[in-house]
Amino acid sequence: MKQVLPLFALLLTTSIALAEGNWPQWQGPDRTGLSKESGLLKKWPDAGPRKVWTFDGAGLGYSSFAVVGDRLYTLGSRGKESLICVNITNGKEVWNAEIGEHFTNKWGDGPRGTPTVAGGFVYAMGGKGDLICVSVKDGKVAWSKSLTKDLGGSIPGWGYTESVLVDGDKVLCTPGGRKGAIAALSATTGEVIWQSKDFTDGAQYSSIIVAEHGGKRQYIQITMNSVVGIEAESGKLLWRSDWPGKTAVIPSPIFHDGHVFVTSGYGVGCKLIQLSDDNKATEVYTNKTIVNHHGGVILVGDHLYGHSDTEGWVCMEFKTGKKVWNEKRGVGKGSIGYADGMLYCLGERSGEVALVEASPTGYNEVSRFKLEPQSKQRSNSGGIWSHPTITGGRLYLRDQEFLSSYDVSDNRTN
């Protein structure tokens, strides 16, 4: 369907971080995974932080969370794939909006991406590439688009997992394919503004980030064969660097100080690229210290933190690639979040959550608890793959249909 949005929707700002605050999209306001929260517990009670509520109707899928105001948004399949809105005060469903057909997969059914909130609307994409824009007020669908039928893409083996980026008046997504691997759509109508005709790789599983460099606003993305920067205004390819992807390329790129860091699993490793003032890409280093499958890597100060298939939990210097420390006895392979000087490490098999100091001096775990309840519907081939989110003094965790909220605020400082 297609419908032009009301005029006030044109007031979308150039940065959803400025417009929305909180945690409006995948990996937070600026897609770094760094929460700006303060006044949080630096040590949890033995039983873990106080659970506020558990919502048991999220359905199947691996979507993480967007949280704006008193509402949380996630995706799940309950026969059909849906965008689900939950009140964060009481854990009750507010509304839901159907996205499209149920995506099935050996490693777990349902949608994978995280919704994006901007300008009074929520943008969400399902596992089969169905993209919808709905009102935050009531979930009414304003427009929809298919990455396959409308944009010429092909569904990757694990489904479309991308969390779409909203940048001003544009929605960015990666259908992949000959029409253009990356597409910019009008945030108000869903109409195509441009597709990257000189970049036509197939889609993988990473989500686009936005950066300003050399006087150019650009979108940075990684595929099986390439790391690229695409000019925001025109969709023109600004720069490209080779990437030797295998099987699946998942973690989002990291941009900092004119450098782009990328990593993927299946033995590939990581790479740092330096961009010149005129956007020429030069390789700084490659190594296999960080071989991150899909749990993500975050940059805190001058150091990268995340899980590596080869090293366990790792701290590595961003600019040099030098390993600072590693720890294999933590919660095991999993995903990561950051807030108030601490890492939140979630084990994908056990569901254990560790609170670890974000410090290059060493791995110092100060607390741990286990996520409960855990799903009995989760595929035996899957894991607890939804990433932790820390915002508004709460820690949000998910295992399939169960979505749990924990109070991690330090009331003594409030």
Side-chain angles (χ1 to χ4, degrees):
M1 63 175 294
K2 181 178 75 173
Q3 179 178 331
V4 178
L5 304 187
L7 182 60
F8 69 82
L10 295 175
L11 297 177
L12 290 167
T13 67
T14 58
S15 170
I16 63 173
L18 295 176
E20 305 293 352
N22 296 352
W23 200 264
Q25 60 174 332
W26 165 244
Q27 293 190 318
D30 48 12
R31 297 204 159 193
T32 61
L34 304 178
S35 172
K36 296 177 174 62
E37 292 286 300
S38 60
L40 304 182
L41 290 168
K42 296 301 178 70
K43 186 176 182 179
W44 297 327
D46 291 343
R50 180 179 68 89
K51 182 185 286 188
V52 182
W53 49 258
T54 293
F55 172 68
D56 64 2
L60 299 179
Y62 295 112
S63 177
S64 298
F65 320 106
V67 183
V68 175
D70 65 352
R71 294 185 176 185
L72 176 149
Y73 305 89
T74 192
L75 311 182
S77 186
R78 305 185 291 195
K80 294 278 190 177
E81 293 191 347
S82 295
L83 166 61
I84 302 164
C85 175
V86 175
N87 185 300
I88 64 170
T89 303
N90 56 25
K92 303 296 184 182
E93 184 169 327
V94 179
W95 52 255
N96 72 84
E98 185 177 305
I99 298 173
E101 293 182 2
H102 178 73
F103 176 77
T104 59
N105 184 269
K106 173 185 174 183
W107 288 266
D109 297 349
R112 277 94 161 105
T114 297
T116 300
V117 184
F121 295 90
V122 190
Y123 302 82
M125 185 166 67
K128 291 190 173 183
D130 297 304
L131 171 61
I132 62 170
C133 168
V134 310
S135 167
V136 297
K137 181 180 179 180
D138 53 16
K140 183 178 180 181
V141 177
W143 58 259
S144 64
K145 210 77 171 177
S146 167
L147 270 65
T148 57
K149 297 174 184 177
D150 299 322
L151 302 176
S154 298
I155 301 172
W158 280 272
Y160 279 107
T161 71
E162 183 178 21
S163 304
V164 298
L165 171 71
V166 179
D167 184 38
D169 61 356
K170 293 191 289 293
V171 179
L172 285 303
C173 59
T174 312
R178 290 180 294 177
K179 282 188 174 182
I182 294 176
L185 312 178
S186 166
T188 57
T189 67
E191 291 299 312
V192 176
I193 299 172
W194 52 252
Q195 277 191 254
S196 57
K197 294 181 180 180
D198 49 354
F199 174 57
T200 57
D201 285 12
Q204 276 291 292
Y205 308 97
S206 180
S207 296
I208 296 168
I209 64 169
V210 61
E212 294 275 357
H213 182 75
K216 297 284 188 181
R217 189 167 184 83
Q218 58 185 272
Y219 305 121
I220 300 173
Q221 180 61 298
I222 182 171
T223 65
M224 187 67 76
N225 301 310
S226 310
V227 187
V228 298
I230 302 294
E231 187 177 60
E233 183 177 353
S234 66
K236 176 184 176 181
L237 180 66
L238 290 175
W239 59 268
R240 178 186 175 278
S241 183
D242 289 341
W243 183 248
K246 295 180 182 177
T247 308
V249 174
I250 305 169
S252 295
I254 295 172
F255 176 83
H256 175 66
D257 193 24
H259 292 73
V260 179
F261 174 85
V262 289
T263 180
S264 61
Y266 300 95
V268 173
C270 63
K271 176 177 182 175
L272 187 71
I273 300 161
Q274 184 172 11
L275 301 180
S276 66
D277 290 343
D278 58 352
N279 281 294
K280 292 181 180 178
T282 302
E283 182 180 300
V284 178
Y285 64 75
T286 60
N287 67 49
K288 296 189 179 182
T289 299
I290 295 182
V291 184
N292 188 263
H293 187 191
H294 51 63
V297 177
I298 57 176
L299 176 64
V300 182
D302 298 324
H303 295 87
L304 294 158
Y305 298 89
H307 187 273
S308 171
D309 291 343
T310 57
E311 303 283 349
W313 292 94
V314 174
C315 171
M316 189 179 84
E317 290 182 356
F318 177 75
K319 288 286 184 71
T320 68
K322 177 184 177 183
K323 182 175 72 175
V324 179
W325 55 253
N326 73 296
E327 175 59 61
K328 294 186 176 181
R329 296 175 299 170
V331 294
K333 180 179 177 180
S335 55
I336 191 169
Y338 168 89
D340 201 13
M342 308 298 286
L343 306 174
Y344 291 67
C345 303
L346 171 61
E348 66 174 41
R349 293 300 175 193
S350 66
E352 290 185 318
V353 189
L355 188 66
V356 180
E357 290 183 358
S359 171
T361 60
Y363 179 91
N364 182 22
E365 180 181 317
V366 296
S367 295
R368 185 186 294 206
F369 78 99
K370 189 171 184 177
L371 170 63
E372 296 289 354
Q374 294 186 21
S375 177
K376 295 181 179 179
Q377 300 186 66
R378 184 187 346 124
S379 167
N380 291 332
S381 300
I384 299 174
W385 290 341
S386 299
H387 288 215
T389 295
I390 310 102
T391 186
R394 301 281 185 88
L395 166 65
Y396 297 98
L397 302 172
R398 178 180 179 179
D399 184 16
Q400 300 295 316
E401 74 270 27
F402 294 118
L403 194 165
S404 297
S405 171
Y406 296 86
D407 183 358
V408 293
S409 62
D410 187 350
N411 295 320
R412 296 171 299 178
T413 66
N414 295 334

